[in-house]
Amino acid sequence: MLKKTRAGALTLLALTGLTLGSVLTAPAGATPRTGFLSAADLPPHPSSPWTAGAITDGVPEELLLCLADALPGYDSRYRAFHTELDASARQLNIVTGTPAKAKALATRLNKEIRTCPARIERDPEIEATHKDYGTLPVEEGARVHGLHTAASWGATDIHLLSVGRDGRTVTVVEWSQLGDFDDAPVRAFKKTTTTAVAKLH
């Protein structure tokens, strides 16, 4: 999630990805390729259109720093999105064995996001702050989070993340760009999250 041209936390993220990459890759055909956002579903960017990538097996590296400990063993696919400027986004869909397991996973993922600042701040040059934007009444529910990171050399990034569930499927949506909490399109991201969860089935 930390898009650093910026050292430290990205190094930790990359090392985590190398360690867990094989564990987090789903068998071909294990997870449905439906239920993903389109570029038009993302918060509008003021000066650049969104482009959607292919649906890919596994977990995007950008989410590993915050979520890796909760993910091994689950079948998952993701889609990445980008603009021509500084904004990017990802949707990760995870299929579990039962609705009860999906509920437990969603609870764990929300906890991992809340506690992620402590892991980010293992790099002494980065400060991280979490903000809880509350829940959304869609399917079995969703919760929206904000995460701001500021580096000692002046870089500042804002991330919005959400965790939602429908049946035995959990979705994680993440949006990020340069900036701080004031730059976050929270209302539009909540709409994106609602759409993502509604598309799961």
Side-chain angles (χ1 to χ4, degrees):
M1 133 183 342
L2 294 176
K3 187 174 68 176
K4 289 178 72 182
T5 50
R6 319 149 164 129
L10 181 60
T11 301
L12 177 60
L13 182 154
L15 290 174
T16 305
L18 289 172
T19 303
L20 294 175
S22 60
V23 177
L24 295 170
T25 300
T31 305
R33 292 187 177 272
T34 57
F36 282 90
L37 294 166
S38 67
D41 296 322
L42 294 170
H45 191 280
S47 58
S48 176
W50 285 97
T51 298
I55 296 169
T56 304
D57 292 344
V59 177
E61 288 188 0
E62 294 87 347
L63 294 179
L64 290 178
L65 181 61
C66 282
L67 302 181
D69 288 348
L71 294 176
Y74 289 105
D75 295 334
S76 59
R77 286 201 169 100
Y78 70 93
R79 170 176 272 178
F81 305 83
H82 67 273
T83 66
E84 295 177 358
L85 299 174
D86 63 336
S88 62
R90 284 144 286 277
Q91 181 187 10
L92 170 67
N93 285 351
I94 308 158
V95 177
T96 67
T98 66
K101 289 182 178 179
K103 181 178 180 180
L105 176 61
T107 298
R108 174 72 185 278
L109 291 172
N110 281 307
K111 179 181 177 181
E112 294 296 311
I113 294 170
R114 285 194 303 271
T115 59
C116 192
R119 294 188 289 284
I120 294 170
E121 290 179 346
R122 291 172 185 167
D123 183 334
E125 295 191 67
I126 300 177
E127 294 183 358
T129 306
H130 170 266
K131 184 177 288 189
D132 190 334
Y133 287 112
T135 59
L136 298 173
V138 55
E139 301 300 341
E140 273 82 38
R143 180 172 291 276
V144 178
H145 306 262
L147 185 64
H148 176 250
T149 58
S152 61
W153 54 88
T156 178
D157 295 293
I158 181 65
H159 310 266
L160 294 175
L161 300 101
S162 60
V163 178
R165 182 174 68 90
D166 186 8
R168 63 191 186 98
T169 305
V170 176
T171 191
V172 179
V173 183
E174 186 253 353
W175 167 98
S176 64
Q177 71 172 30
L178 301 177
D180 57 28
F181 286 116
D182 291 339
D183 301 306
V186 176
R187 180 176 296 181
F189 185 76
K190 286 184 175 182
K191 182 178 179 180
T192 295
T193 296
T194 298
T195 300
V197 177
K199 284 189 172 188
L200 292 180
H201 292 292

